[in-house]
Amino acid sequence: LLILDEPTNHLDTEAVGRIMGRLLSEAQDLSLLTITHDKAVVALAQQVFRLEGGRLTPVALQEMA
């Protein structure tokens, strides 16, 4: 399990693409938990949850579009 808390904070779009592409291609045998506000990073997720009022709520991927 690799936990990433705002891994793309303060990066430009190109750098975000490079970093996330590398992580996703090389972490095939890992689970990634990414905490982020970056919609570009969220768009790469297989599952999305929103933390509200101390509770995790599943979010449909189509809601993220």
Side-chain angles (χ1 to χ4, degrees):
L1 174 62
L2 180 59
I3 300 172
L4 306 169
D5 186 5
E6 297 290 354
T8 58
N9 196 26
H10 302 295
L11 297 178
D12 61 33
T13 304
E14 184 180 325
V16 170
R18 284 195 316 265
I19 288 173
M20 294 309 297
R22 188 77 172 268
L23 280 169
L24 293 172
S25 69
E26 295 191 17
Q28 295 172 7
D29 295 330
L30 291 175
S31 294
L32 296 176
L33 171 62
T34 306
I35 299 102
T36 188
H37 292 92
D38 187 333
K39 290 182 181 185
V41 175
V42 172
L44 300 170
Q46 292 177 342
Q47 289 183 299
V48 177
F49 293 85
R50 182 174 285 128
L51 180 61
E52 295 178 309
R55 294 183 180 263
L56 285 174
T57 305
V59 176
L61 293 177
Q62 58 268 30
E63 288 182 43
M64 303 310 300

